[in-house]
Amino acid sequence: MSPLWQYSLSSELDGPFLTGFWTLDRISWVTLFCLAPPLAVTFWETGSTILPIIALSLILVIVCQAIFAARRNRSQRHHVLVYVLVFSLIVGGDFPLWPAALGLSFGLVVGELVFGGRGFSFVNPVAVALVFLTFSFPAVTFSDPGAWLSLASLPSAVFLLYSRLISWRMLSGFFLGLIATGYYLQTGFDVSGLFQGSLLFVTVFLACDPVSSAATNIGRWLNGLLSGALVWVFSPGDAVGIAIQPLVAAVFLGSIFAPLIDR
């Protein structure tokens, strides 16, 4: 049994979806690099209010992963740091700490660790955590995202697309489904509103997650179209903008259908 504190920085292949140059550790480092602009913008807009939830999330994911790693005689991997930042940036610094701790623990264990780790599950643990919080604590709302969060995510999206770590088919399909359904269902639909709030951030770092999205080319188009359309299905009929709750629910349900779409 490996010690709880063992922490691997190796670049060994350890997932069925990894081939060639890209390994889990290399992907994690690149994704953390791409999370730097949204994190910097959030600090600039909200100050240090997000630090407590980042610290709490970091402790939780390390402890949860350490327990499973020790049980399975594996070393810990630092891809969980990506979950910490993505989860913290979505819920915001004003979110109560104890529901956040419960939700993230549930998402990490049920969404990934019970399946054997990153690459062996079919849902993103952050999406599982956010859906759990939405249904278990409906009275608690996520913090309003900063005005620059989506724009700060744009360079990251370009870099991840260039590196082929996310699929342009999935991203294009998502926005096509979102815009087409928005024009059909929403009166006075404004395309410019898509670059406000958390939409681009959630789409890039959750919806386009290569583990929880479709793996075939035609499947990526269909998965993206389905997820984008579901955003409006889960939104109230009189919704003006896109709230985080229907957005996360659409991403979560779309990831559940991804294996069936590929099949």
Side-chain angles (χ1 to χ4, degrees), residues 95-185:
F95 198 86
L97 293 181
W98 82 265
L102 180 62
L104 184 57
S105 301
F106 179 86
L108 185 63
V109 173
V110 176
E112 177 177 302
L113 294 177
V114 296
F115 291 99
R118 175 78 169 166
F120 295 91
S121 62
F122 62 97
V123 289
N124 187 289
V126 175
V128 176
L130 295 172
V131 170
F132 174 83
L133 292 174
T134 299
F135 286 98
S136 300
F137 302 93
V140 180
T141 59
F142 300 137
S143 302
D144 292 331
W148 295 93
L149 180 61
S150 276
L151 289 178
S153 305
L154 189 57
S156 303
V158 173
F159 185 83
L160 290 172
L161 286 169
Y162 175 78
S163 304
R164 301 183 69 180
L165 292 180
I166 63 174
S167 170
W168 67 269
R169 296 175 177 88
M170 180 68 190
L171 187 65
S172 302
F174 186 93
F175 279 101
L176 282 175
L178 180 72
I179 294 172
T181 311
Y183 273 118
Y184 180 74
L185 295 179

Side-chain angles (χ1 to χ4, degrees), residues 87-104:
F87 178 80
S88 301
L89 288 171
I90 292 176
V91 301
D94 297 331
F95 198 86
L97 293 181
W98 82 265
L102 180 62
L104 184 57

Side-chain angles (χ1 to χ4, degrees), residues 36-247:
L39 183 62
V41 164
T42 301
F43 272 115
W44 177 64
E45 290 184 325
T46 65
S48 59
T49 57
I50 199 174
L51 284 179
I53 198 163
I54 290 179
L56 177 64
S57 301
L58 180 61
I59 294 172
L60 283 173
V61 297
I62 290 178
V63 170
C64 290
Q65 186 185 217
I67 294 173
F68 277 80
R71 179 67 178 175
R72 294 170 174 166
N73 195 26
R74 296 177 180 175
S75 59
Q76 293 194 68
R77 309 309 293 264
H78 60 269
H79 70 277
V80 293
L81 301 178
V82 174
Y83 301 153
V84 170
L85 295 183
V86 173
F87 178 80
S88 301
L89 288 171
I90 292 176
V91 301
D94 297 331
F95 198 86
L97 293 181
W98 82 265
L102 180 62
L104 184 57
S105 301
F106 179 86
L108 185 63
V109 173
V110 176
E112 177 177 302
L113 294 177
V114 296
F115 291 99
R118 175 78 169 166
F120 295 91
S121 62
F122 62 97
V123 289
N124 187 289
V126 175
V128 176
L130 295 172
V131 170
F132 174 83
L133 292 174
T134 299
F135 286 98
S136 300
F137 302 93
V140 180
T141 59
F142 300 137
S143 302
D144 292 331
W148 295 93
L149 180 61
S150 276
L151 289 178
S153 305
L154 189 57
S156 303
V158 173
F159 185 83
L160 290 172
L161 286 169
Y162 175 78
S163 304
R164 301 183 69 180
L165 292 180
I166 63 174
S167 170
W168 67 269
R169 296 175 177 88
M170 180 68 190
L171 187 65
S172 302
F174 186 93
F175 279 101
L176 282 175
L178 180 72
I179 294 172
T181 311
Y183 273 118
Y184 180 74
L185 295 179
Q186 299 292 319
T187 303
F189 177 71
D190 184 10
V191 178
S192 63
L194 299 181
F195 292 96
Q196 299 174 2
S198 304
L199 176 61
L200 185 58
F201 180 83
V202 172
T203 305
V204 170
F205 291 101
L206 285 188
C208 293
D209 180 10
V211 172
S212 57
S213 59
T216 59
N217 285 339
I218 185 63
R220 288 164 178 154
W221 279 109
L222 296 174
N223 193 191
L225 288 168
L226 174 64
S227 300
L230 285 174
V231 173
W232 295 114
V233 173
F234 291 119
S235 297
D238 57 348
V240 177
I242 301 175
I244 186 65
Q245 288 86 351
L247 179 58

